[in-house]
């Protein structure tokens, strides 16, 4: 994905506030042995780009001062309740840059698996993304979890994934983290309606 940024000369809270009032978002780009540079982006274009999964998990092409640089979205701040991006951070990368980044998991073929198709099981996703390490140019937009052969009662872990050799999953101290579980559907028990007993009739006085 490609986007355009502009060099930003004014800094500070007041300058950033005025910038946002004009429909711009302040940001910074750093890395690759170069000095950090303050930038600004068109807010609406940035906001719509950030709604796409690939903008968060792939190498981007940033055009700045007529030069295109490869960058990675590293951090961003959003307004707590308004649809407003307050600030963005990008990291410059090249072919030799080794990075770690969280990438989403795409679960596929669950409907064709024996677990779902025959046993009517439910696939519970324990996680929806993984933190991986690789060279920047080898960063995948997502990792695929193929559930075509999933069976009832199975648990799927990181070691069960088929990954390219250049990708290392950062497990943060966990030996083989859980990815998903295959569980039987819970049968809904419908209780029979309780019929209230009729109140006992009192004896008539003579």
């Amino acid at each position: 994905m490609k986007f355009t940024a502009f060099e930003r000369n004014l800094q500070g809270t007041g300058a950033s506030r005025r910038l946002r009032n004009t429909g711009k978002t302040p940001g910074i780009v750093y890395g690759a042995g170069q000095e950090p540079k303050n930038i600004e982006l068109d807010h609406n274009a940035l906001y719509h780009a950030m709604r796409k999964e690939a903008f968060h998990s792939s190498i981007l092409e940033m055009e700045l001062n007529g030069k295109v640089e490869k960058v990675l979205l590293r951090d961003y701040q959003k307004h707590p309740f308004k649809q407003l991006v307050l600030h963005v951070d990008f990291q410059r990368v090249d072919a030799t840059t080794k990075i770690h980044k969280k990438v989403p998991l795409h679960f596929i073929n669950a409907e064709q698996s024996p677990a779902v198709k025959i046993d009517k099981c439910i696939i519970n996703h324990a996680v929806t993304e993984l933190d991986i390490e690789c060279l920047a140019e080898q960063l995948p937009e997502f990792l695929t979890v193929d559930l075509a052969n999933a069976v009832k009662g199975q648990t799927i872990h990181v070691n069960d994934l088929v990954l390219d050799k250049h990708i290392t999953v950062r497990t943060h101290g966990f030996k083989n983290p859980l990815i998903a579980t295959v569980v039987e559907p819970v049968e809904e028990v419908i209780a029979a309606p309780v019929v209230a007993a009729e109140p006992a009739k009192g004896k008539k006085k003579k």
Side-chain angles (χ1 to χ4, degrees), residues 153-183:
Q154 182 180 359
T155 56
I156 300 163
H157 297 78
V158 165
N159 290 350
D160 298 318
L161 302 182
V162 179
L163 303 174
D164 292 337
K165 292 181 180 180
H166 62 265
I167 294 176
T168 301
V169 178
R170 294 159 57 96
T171 59
H172 303 284
F174 296 94
K175 186 176 181 181
N176 190 16
L178 181 68
I179 298 295
T181 58
V182 184
V183 298

Side-chain angles (χ1 to χ4, degrees), residues 5-6 8 10-13 15-29 37-43 46 75-77 84-90:
F6 304 91
R8 173 169 57 98
L10 298 178
Q11 301 181 45
T13 304
S16 295
R17 186 183 302 112
R18 289 190 294 273
L19 191 67
R20 296 185 190 104
N21 289 338
T22 62
K24 305 287 185 180
T25 298
I28 190 171
V29 58
K37 186 172 292 186
N38 294 308
I39 59 174
E40 61 184 63
L41 301 90
D42 178 80
H43 177 268
L46 174 65
D75 197 10
Y76 60 91
Q77 298 172 18
L84 187 65
V85 183
L86 301 177
H87 194 275
V88 284
D89 293 3
F90 294 99

Side-chain angles (χ1 to χ4, degrees), residues 78-84:
K78 281 189 173 182
H79 194 279
F81 58 87
K82 293 181 181 179
Q83 293 183 342
L84 187 65

Side-chain angles (χ1 to χ4, degrees), residues 61-122:
E61 292 185 336
M62 181 185 71
E63 183 178 347
L64 178 65
N65 296 333
K67 179 183 177 183
V68 176
E69 298 179 282
K70 291 185 177 181
V71 298
L72 189 66
L73 177 64
R74 270 306 183 189
D75 197 10
Y76 60 91
Q77 298 172 18
K78 281 189 173 182
H79 194 279
F81 58 87
K82 293 181 181 179
Q83 293 183 342
L84 187 65
V85 183
L86 301 177
H87 194 275
V88 284
D89 293 3
F90 294 99
Q91 177 189 353
R92 298 185 190 93
V93 295
D94 56 31
T96 63
T97 307
K98 196 167 187 178
I99 60 171
H100 66 87
K101 179 76 172 173
K102 288 184 178 180
V103 295
L105 296 176
H106 284 191
F107 295 85
I108 63 171
N109 298 327
E111 294 77 10
Q112 284 74 48
S113 69
V116 175
K117 193 172 183 179
I118 299 174
D119 296 316
K120 311 301 179 185
C121 291
I122 298 171

